[in-house]
Amino acid sequence: MTNAYDVAHFLAGMMLVCSFTLLYQDRILAVLNTFAVQAIMLSLAVAWQGYVRNAPDLFITAAMAFGLKGIIIPVALNRMVEKLGIKRGVDQVVNVGVAMFLGLGLTSLALLLVLKVTPGAASFTREGLALALAIILLGLLQMILRRNAVTQIVGFMSIENGLILAATGARGMPLVVEVSVAFSVLIALFVFAVFLFRIRERFDSVDVESLDKVRAARAHR
Amino acid sequence: MNEAVYAVFGIPFLSALLLALIPSYRLTALGNVLASGLTFAAGLSFLTLPPVTETYVILDDLNKFFIILNTLVGFTTSLFSRSYIGHEIATGHLTPLFVRFYHAMFQGMMGAMNLALLANNIGLMWVGLEFATLMTVIMVGIYRTPAALEAAWKYFILGIVGISLAFFGTILVYLAGQGVLGEGEAAMTWSELIKIAPQLDAPLLNIAFIFLLVGYGTKVGLAPLHAWLPDAHAEGPTPISAVLSGLLLNVALFALLRFKMLIAANPNALAPGPILITMGLVSLIFAAFMLYQRQDIKRLFAYSSIEHMGLITFAFGLGGPLLNFAALLHMVMHSLTKSAIFFAVGHVTQAKGTQELSAIRGLSVSNPVLAFALAAGVIAISGLPPFGAFMSEFLIITATFAREPLLALAVAFGLLIALGALLMRLQDILFGEPTTPNHPVSAASAPIFVHLSLILIAGMFLPPAIVVWFRRAAEMLG
């Protein structure tokens, strides 16, 4: 069993590494690739869970993660970026050092919190959950730090990766929930695409700075 | 007769698919009214249904009344929406292309809300709320102006953050349930969880509740998490403002209440009451003061929604049969009144061609019927007699005074501040020299007056059957 834990921890750990990379990576293409790697790590982690626990329904979840988030979504986003001619550089609000430091802080917070409140749970569930929470918090941080609509949405998708990791880490979560979650992610992506085109059409840019100007203009209404 | 339970979300979802296929705007508007009417009929049939508990759906005294309210307001809003959108297309504010999927999304949203209310599975409840949120996000941005896009994007980002945290909370509740019920569906089934609530792992529940509170609290629009709400109300089409305020906030609060019941049933977990009281009171007083500075009529009433959701959350937080009863009653009154106000406001802004408060004057001369409806609605929402909200607010204050006199003073203070702001604005809108331009609108006044007469009747006489039913629901909430 210890080997099983090692592999599971390795895969979840790799996802966390991807989350950190997403924090500082400043080119859109690289951000999309990193996200694809994270999604593939997620699908491997889920498949490994399915194999170890002998739960075949997890393979469906893994296949969905691999197909949708590992391939289709990154490719679709990639084409969207090309079609819209979005500039390749991504500006950062705070510098890399500060972002890493905040990320480390959030990760240790997640570990301390989850490990403290779940002494009763099975040992893998605890650590999987802690890593998942860290990934979720890093995704939130990415959404706050980034000013570009595409990278904000990648932040959201990596939050969703963390949620799926948490859901499969909790043993025996019903498949119907996972399927509906995957479905709603798809809808969310559609919503995002609609907005990306509309924002682009209005502002000639997908930099959310241009939205901030609208916000400032009506701050006191 | 359990089919009715599935019909309440089945009809909207099916009609969403059908409406998406029809290109003609007029046909889909009619289809929307028809589908909402059928859903309302299915909702009304719940009155005769005994409680239902199945793997995925549950029907008890608590959600029964939420669903009837939801389907009723959905139906009246579809009527209002038909005349509102018709006018927007006639005046060229919206093109038929923009509203191609509007009605399909409206039905999708209604179905998702009903699913969230009926779900016995806490995961499905989450999916319903998320889906409803995403539908409203698109509809808020439907005008495609820079301001509408900004509002929709903010709503999208904040909504997503909230909903993600709520899902993590849901997983934690499942983990807690798993410790007692074992792996599988049972540990996600609300009716099973509530039975074994006292045995659940308390620290896990505590953390879960914090995540759920921040997550669903964002959707309720409680004070520090409310930033999306005024913008989404102001920039979206008015029928959507009406369902956001009247329904979606309620559904999110309902989800929070389900989990509050779970936490409250566990003696070792933290007491959810004080947190809800604080958040509610802060929202109430903050929003009351914000009412004074508004320059946009829809933002004004959006802040009033924050105020009332704060009041309701406060009352549920303090708890006890009497306050729960009052809070449930106030939820109904607020839903009916606020959606009626938004119906009236929708036509007023169409008549005046603006949402700027300073440009809406002398309504009693230029549009007497709308002026009367708006006046009645604002008087009702300010908590003045003879309308229903007076009774529920009075009940909340007196019941609070009997237990916590200081808190009652704070609530009364907030309500008075809000009352002043609303009456001041109302006077500006109604009287004075009528502002031009004045576009002719064929207002759908039926939905407005149905709501107003319901709250008027409720303010003067509550049928004993309804009182008994609300009391049972209030007792469920502990």
Side-chain angles (χ1 to χ4, degrees):
Chain A
M1 272 314 258
T2 46
N3 280 341
Y5 284 161
D6 287 348
V7 173
H9 284 160
F10 168 73
L11 291 170
M14 284 304 285
M15 284 180 67
L16 188 62
V17 171
C18 289
S19 279
F20 272 104
T21 316
L22 285 174
L23 271 185
Y24 71 79
Q25 190 53 262
D26 60 357
R27 285 176 320 122
I28 286 195
L29 228 52
V31 166
L32 292 178
N33 288 339
T34 314
F35 168 72
V37 172
Q38 188 184 44
I40 290 167
M41 286 300 154
L42 169 72
S43 68
L44 289 177
V46 176
W48 179 254
Q49 288 286 317
Y51 170 70
V52 173
R53 275 198 249 142
N54 210 356
D57 57 330
L58 285 183
F59 289 118
I60 301 175
T61 314
M64 281 192 314
F66 186 80
L68 269 181
K69 293 184 172 172
I71 299 171
I72 296 175
I73 290 178
V75 169
L77 282 175
N78 220 327
R79 295 180 72 171
M80 214 140 60
V81 168
E82 269 173 27
K83 205 168 161 189
L84 293 171
I86 295 166
K87 60 176 194 272
R88 292 305 160 104
V90 180
D91 28 9
Q92 191 97 36
V93 171
V94 293
N95 65 32
V96 177
V98 176
M100 289 290 111
F101 195 71
L102 286 173
L104 279 176
L106 287 177
T107 309
S108 32
L109 184 74
L111 291 171
L112 287 176
L113 182 75
V114 175
L115 295 182
K116 196 167 160 59
V117 296
T118 54
S123 90
F124 173 72
T125 309
R126 297 175 66 194
E127 289 127 23
L129 207 60
L131 288 169
L133 182 60
I135 291 167
I136 293 168
L137 293 178
L138 287 181
L140 290 177
L141 183 63
Q142 190 191 344
M143 283 174 87
I144 296 166
L145 294 183
R146 292 306 178 98
R147 306 306 301 159
N148 179 299
V150 178
T151 33
Q152 280 193 341
I153 214 69
V154 172
F156 155 63
M157 303 297 253
S158 82
I159 292 178
E160 217 74 50
N161 280 346
L163 288 176
I164 300 283
L165 184 70
T168 50
R171 289 155 177 261
M173 191 96 156
L175 183 66
V176 59
V177 173
E178 283 162 29
V179 171
S180 3
V181 170
F183 176 67
S184 49
V185 171
L186 208 63
I187 302 281
L189 188 76
F190 164 73
V191 175
F192 159 70
V194 169
F195 274 105
L196 200 58
F197 278 100
R198 287 186 189 171
I199 291 176
R200 165 79 186 171
E201 160 195 297
R202 278 289 161 195
F203 299 104
D204 271 346
S205 154
V206 289
D207 197 323
V208 287
E209 292 282 349
S210 42
L211 292 180
D212 289 348
K213 283 173 198 145
V214 180
R215 186 174 307 168
R218 60 135 187 253
H220 292 292
R221 288 198 40 205
Chain B
M1 273 304 287
N2 289 352
E3 290 82 8
V5 176
Y6 294 93
V8 156
F9 56 87
I11 295 174
F13 281 140
L14 272 181
S15 10
L17 291 180
L18 284 177
L19 292 176
L21 298 175
I22 306 173
S24 156
Y25 155 71
R26 278 170 215 290
L27 276 180
T28 50
L30 266 182
N32 192 33
V33 172
L34 189 71
S36 307
L38 279 175
T39 316
F40 177 48
L44 266 189
S45 74
F46 283 10
L47 286 174
T48 60
L49 276 187
V52 175
T53 307
E54 290 177 16
T55 325
Y56 292 117
V57 292
I58 185 169
L59 184 67
D60 52 26
D61 284 324
L62 182 62
N63 65 4
K64 205 184 258 184
F65 108 87
F66 272 96
I67 286 163
I68 294 177
L69 180 68
N70 218 36
T71 50
L72 167 69
V73 178
F75 178 47
T76 49
T77 307
S78 72
L79 285 170
F80 163 66
S81 162
R82 186 162 163 253
S83 80
Y84 178 88
I85 299 285
H87 184 272
E88 294 295 278
I89 288 182
T91 54
H93 285 114
L94 283 172
T95 63
L97 183 72
F98 282 16
V99 287
R100 172 76 166 83
F101 297 109
Y102 169 83
H103 292 108
M105 286 190 291
F106 187 90
Q107 286 300 321
M109 172 194 68
M110 290 307 301
M113 280 198 282
N114 290 340
L115 175 67
L117 289 174
L118 270 173
N120 193 10
N121 183 303
I122 53 177
L124 268 190
M125 184 161 84
W126 179 86
V127 169
L129 254 171
E130 152 134 359
F131 194 78
T133 307
L134 289 174
M135 291 292 111
T136 48
V137 166
I138 304 187
M139 293 201 277
V140 164
I142 208 164
Y143 282 111
R144 304 196 194 185
T145 59
L149 286 177
E150 194 272 330
W153 188 256
K154 185 150 100 184
Y155 180 25
F156 184 42
I157 297 291
L158 279 174
I160 288 289
V161 169
I163 211 94
S164 307
L165 294 178
F167 188 65
F168 196 75
T170 306
I171 294 174
L172 290 177
V173 172
Y174 168 73
L175 269 185
Q178 199 192 43
V180 183
L181 293 165
E183 290 175 24
E185 306 251 331
M188 285 207 98
T189 306
W190 191 82
S191 56
E192 300 290 325
L193 285 170
I194 193 76
K195 273 185 221 152
I196 50 105
Q199 292 152 260
L200 293 175
D201 185 35
L204 210 50
L205 272 189
N206 291 346
I207 298 294
F209 187 69
I210 298 300
F211 276 98
L212 290 163
L213 181 72
V214 175
Y216 288 134
T218 310
K219 314 242 63 217
V220 183
L222 293 178
L225 315 163
H226 69 282
W228 62 273
L229 195 145
D231 291 350
H233 277 67
E235 305 303 339
T238 313
I240 299 311
S241 317
V243 282
L244 272 178
S245 258
L247 303 181
L248 196 61
L249 305 185
N250 274 1
V251 179
L253 187 56
F254 168 83
L256 205 52
L257 285 181
R258 282 274 196 223
F259 288 107
K260 184 208 163 212
M261 287 160 77
L262 209 58
I263 310 287
N266 187 314
N268 300 323
L270 64 89
I275 309 175
L276 292 178
I277 291 174
T278 314
M279 284 184 94
L281 211 52
V282 169
S283 309
L284 168 67
I285 293 174
F286 164 78
F289 276 107
M290 293 304 276
L291 286 174
Y292 282 89
Q293 294 168 16
R294 295 311 101 197
Q295 290 158 25
D296 179 311
I297 189 165
K298 283 166 83 180
R299 290 176 77 83
L300 176 76
F301 291 112
Y303 274 101
S304 154
S305 290
I306 300 179
E307 177 217 332
H308 285 275
M309 291 322 275
L311 177 65
I312 295 164
T313 310
F314 167 84
F316 279 129
L318 209 50
L322 193 56
L323 272 165
N324 283 338
F325 177 89
L328 287 174
L329 189 64
H330 196 62
M331 264 175 129
V332 179
M333 293 309 143
H334 173 250
S335 278
L336 291 173
T337 317
K338 193 50 73 57
S339 38
I341 289 180
F342 272 114
F343 296 164
V345 165
H347 288 312
V348 169
T349 54
Q350 286 181 330
K352 296 290 180 186
T354 178
Q355 293 179 199
E356 291 290 323
L357 274 167
S358 56
I360 304 174
R361 290 270 190 269
L363 204 64
S364 58
V365 178
S366 58
N367 306 65
V369 178
L370 283 178
F372 175 73
L374 191 65
V378 172
I379 287 172
I381 207 72
S382 325
L384 293 178
F387 293 100
F390 166 72
M391 206 166 70
S392 48
E393 284 185 2
F394 185 73
L395 210 53
I396 291 177
I397 292 183
T398 47
T400 310
F401 199 78
R403 284 168 54 188
E404 303 281 346
L406 281 179
L407 286 180
L409 279 183
V411 172
F413 171 71
L415 288 177
L416 283 176
I417 298 285
L419 173 83
L422 286 172
L423 290 186
M424 194 173 81
R425 290 293 179 211
L426 182 67
Q427 199 181 3
D428 290 348
I429 293 171
L430 292 186
F431 307 117
E433 197 64 22
T435 43
T436 46
N438 206 5
H439 309 283
V441 280
S442 55
S445 37
I448 307 178
F449 287 103
V450 166
H451 283 204
L452 287 178
S453 29
L454 280 176
I455 51 173
L456 184 63
I457 295 170
M460 299 199 283
F461 171 72
L462 261 190
I466 292 189
V467 175
V468 171
W469 174 22
F470 273 33
R471 200 174 285 154
R472 279 204 306 264
E475 272 159 16
M476 275 181 72
L477 284 165

